[in-house]
Amino acid sequence: MKKYLLVSALAAVCVSNVFAQEDPDKYYIRNSIYVMKLDEVASNEEYAEAFKVMNETFDSINFARNYERYNDFSLSERHIKFEELPTATAEEIKQFGSQTAVDKAIADAMVSQGLKNANTLSEYEYAARLSKWFEQNKVAQKLVAKWHNVPGSPEGSTEWDKDLKTIYELGLKGLSQEAYDNAVATENKTSMAYGAENKLLANTYVCVNRYGYASAQEYAAVATAVAKIAISHLPGIAQLAASKGLDLIASKIKGYFVRANAYLFKLDWNEDLYNKFYTNYWENPQGFMDDASFKLAYVGKSSKYAPAAISLKASTSLEKLIARGTVRGTDAAFAALQRDHEEFRPMSSLHVIDGKLAAYIGLKEGVKAGDKFDVFEAVRSKKDPNITEWNKIGTIKVAKGGVWDNRAGAGEVIEGASEDKSDKDAEGANNKGYTEFQGKPGKMGEGCMIRLSK
C-alpha cells in the first residue's frame, strides 16, 4: 500500500508555490474530538440543584458548533457514571502523575479552611479510573471501528467500508474534484485514503468533563494557593506586596462558581497498529474488539472556574447563571488543554478586516492580551505537488485591547451574578466580533492560518 498520498490538494492552480488567497480551511485537516461528562452526585444537598442544571446544560451544548475547529467524532454515549468507574491501585494512579507543589498547596489550603471538597479524589486517580473505564468499555476499538466502518453501522460492530467514506469526508475534503478524479483513476481507493488515515486516527481525542460547584471561599483558596507558588521566587519585599495584592483580590470574590475539570485522552495510533489492523483484521474482523493493543493514552488535565450566582437561593436568574457558568467553565478548561498541549491546538484562519489582521477567536478559546500566534501558509509539497504542507512565515501578537469577548452570554448583564475581580483576561476585551493583531497585512493575511505559539 502506498505510504504517502493525498492528504489534501490544490483547488486552484497558482503560478507560484503558494496557494491562492482563498479559504485556507479547505486544506486544513482538523483534529477530531469526542466530548463526554463524568456524572457525580453533589457533595452536599445545597449544591444538588446546581448539579442538575450543570448536567442539563452539558446535554444542551452543541459541541460541533462550539468547537468548530475540530471534527465532532462522538460516539452515542456522552455520560459516564462515577459509581461505574473501576477502582485503581496506588501503583496505577502513580502512572498518571503524583502530587506537585501546586497540588499540595491547594490541598493544604482547602483542609486548613475546612472546606467541603477537601477529601475528593486526586485528579490523577480520576484519570487512572477513567482510563480503566475506557479499556473495559472498548472505547478505543469503537473509535477505530467508526473510522473504518460503513457509515451508520452499530457501535461496536466491525462492518468495514472498502471505500473508507468517513476518512474521505473528514480527511480528504480539501481535494479539488479534478485531483480526486485523477487519484481515483490512478490509485485504488484504499491506497488513496492512506495518507489521511494515519493523520486522522493519530489525532483523535476524547475529553471528559467533570463539574463541581464551589463557594467563593474555595475558589479564592485555590486561586491564591496557586498564585503564591508562582510568586515564591520573588524577593521578600516584592513577594509580600504581591501576596497582599492576592489577598485583596480574594476578598472581592463573592458568590458561587462552576468548577470544570477536563481530562484529555488521545487514541494511540501509529504505523505498527495501522499495519496490524490491515494485516489481522481487514479481511478477518473477528477478534478486533477484544484486541487490547488499541487503547487511549492519557494526555493531561485542566481545571477552571467560572462565575455563577451570588447566592443559592431560588431566583428567576439562578438557573440561567449556573448554565452560563457551566458553558464558560467548559470552554475555559478546553482552552487550557490547548494552551498546555501543542499537538491539541487547532489552527484558525487569518483575515483582514478594516485594514487590520484579525481572527474569529477570543476569550472563549483562551486568547489573552499579548499572546503570540505563529502564521502559516499552505504550499505545495516539493516531494508531491498533490500534498498540502503548512509553512511558518512569521509571528503576530494580539493587539492591546484587541481580544474579543466571545464567551457564552458576553455583554449580557444578569441580576444576581457572582462577583469575580480576579479575571484579568476579560479586562479591556472588545465586542467587535473578532480579535485584532498588531502589524499590517501583507504576506501575512487572507489565505493564512494561525496557531498559538509555544
Side-chain angles (χ1 to χ4, degrees), residues 119-139:
N119 296 318
T120 55
L121 305 179
S122 74
E123 299 292 358
Y124 308 109
E125 182 167 352
Y126 277 109
R129 294 176 69 174
L130 283 168
S131 182
K132 294 184 74 172
W133 187 91
F134 290 140
E135 291 176 14
Q136 288 184 358
N137 289 273
K138 307 181 187 303
V139 175

Side-chain angles (χ1 to χ4, degrees), residues 391-404:
N391 284 358
K392 179 182 173 181
I393 58 173
T395 301
I396 55 177
K397 184 178 180 181
V398 175
K400 184 177 180 180
V403 182
W404 172 33

Side-chain angles (χ1 to χ4, degrees), residues 36 64 119 125 144 149 158 216 221 228-229 269 308 313 409 416 425 437:
M36 304 184 75
N119 296 318
E125 182 167 352
V144 173
N149 270 344
T158 50
K228 285 180 179 178
I229 289 289
W269 186 263
K313 294 181 180 179
D425 295 334
F437 298 87

Side-chain angles (χ1 to χ4, degrees), residues 358-369:
Y360 297 111
I361 53 177
L363 290 180
K364 188 190 86 171
E365 290 79 19
V367 179
K368 300 179 180 180

Side-chain angles (χ1 to χ4, degrees), residues 68-86:
E68 70 275 13
R69 291 167 185 83
Y70 294 82
N71 296 318
D72 183 4
F73 204 73
S74 298
L75 299 176
S76 59
E77 183 54 71
R78 289 282 192 177
H79 293 262
I80 304 171
K81 293 182 179 180
F82 174 77
E83 57 270 23
E84 294 180 358
L85 289 180

Side-chain angles (χ1 to χ4, degrees), residues 9-23 27 178 377-380 385 446-447:
L10 293 173
V13 178
C14 310
V15 175
S16 70
N17 195 44
V18 181
F19 283 31
Q21 287 191 353
E22 52 185 276
D23 182 9
Y27 312 113
E178 180 183 0
E377 67 177 1
V379 299
R380 301 179 185 182
E446 295 287 349

Side-chain angles (χ1 to χ4, degrees), residues 336-379:
L337 288 171
Q338 295 174 348
R339 188 171 286 270
D340 292 341
H341 304 285
E342 184 179 2
E343 73 276 15
F344 187 56
R345 296 174 191 169
M347 283 187 174
S348 302
S349 52
L350 184 64
H351 300 280
V352 177
I353 302 176
D354 294 333
K356 297 180 179 179
L357 297 174
Y360 297 111
I361 53 177
L363 290 180
K364 188 190 86 171
E365 290 79 19
V367 179
K368 300 179 180 180
D371 273 349
K372 292 182 179 180
F373 283 76
D374 294 327
V375 182
F376 300 85
E377 67 177 1
V379 299

Side-chain angles (χ1 to χ4, degrees), residues 2-207:
K2 193 172 180 179
K3 190 170 182 180
Y4 297 106
L5 204 53
L6 302 168
V7 176
S8 60
L10 293 173
V13 178
C14 310
V15 175
S16 70
N17 195 44
V18 181
F19 283 31
Q21 287 191 353
E22 52 185 276
D23 182 9
D25 288 302
K26 292 166 65 175
Y27 312 113
Y28 171 53
I29 297 180
R30 292 164 167 74
N31 292 342
S32 299
I33 189 73
Y34 170 23
V35 183
M36 304 184 75
K37 177 181 178 293
L38 178 62
D39 295 338
E40 292 184 293
V41 178
S43 56
N44 60 79
E45 190 175 328
E46 186 182 30
Y47 291 170
E49 188 60 31
F51 269 59
K52 178 182 177 183
V53 175
M54 289 187 288
N55 187 66
E56 293 173 348
T57 301
F58 174 85
D59 286 338
S60 72
I61 297 174
N62 183 332
F63 291 103
R65 184 180 61 208
N66 259 37
Y67 307 136
E68 70 275 13
R69 291 167 185 83
Y70 294 82
N71 296 318
D72 183 4
F73 204 73
S74 298
L75 299 176
S76 59
E77 183 54 71
R78 289 282 192 177
H79 293 262
I80 304 171
K81 293 182 179 180
F82 174 77
E83 57 270 23
E84 294 180 358
L85 289 180
T87 58
T89 65
E91 197 60 36
E92 288 172 331
I93 295 169
K94 192 175 181 179
Q95 295 177 23
F96 289 82
S98 54
Q99 190 180 52
T100 64
V102 172
D103 295 329
K104 187 177 186 307
I106 292 173
D108 290 346
M110 300 279 280
V111 172
S112 67
Q113 296 191 41
L115 294 169
K116 298 172 183 177
N117 293 331
N119 296 318
T120 55
L121 305 179
S122 74
E123 299 292 358
Y124 308 109
E125 182 167 352
Y126 277 109
R129 294 176 69 174
L130 283 168
S131 182
K132 294 184 74 172
W133 187 91
F134 290 140
E135 291 176 14
Q136 288 184 358
N137 289 273
K138 307 181 187 303
V139 175
Q141 291 93 324
K142 290 176 182 177
L143 289 171
V144 173
K146 182 175 180 179
W147 279 115
H148 296 94
N149 270 344
V150 174
S153 299
E155 288 177 10
S157 67
T158 50
E159 300 178 18
W160 307 143
D161 177 14
K162 62 182 179 64
D163 292 326
L164 297 175
K165 294 185 184 69
T166 300
I167 289 172
Y168 292 159
E169 290 176 8
L170 294 178
L172 303 180
K173 62 183 180 181
L175 282 174
S176 68
Q177 190 61 49
E178 180 183 0
Y180 180 87
D181 292 342
N182 181 62
V184 171
T186 58
E187 302 281 347
N188 67 63
K189 290 188 175 183
T190 304
S191 293
M192 186 183 71
Y194 180 86
E197 179 172 350
N198 274 358
K199 182 178 178 65
L200 286 165
L201 270 74
N203 289 287
T204 301
Y205 293 86
V206 179
C207 182

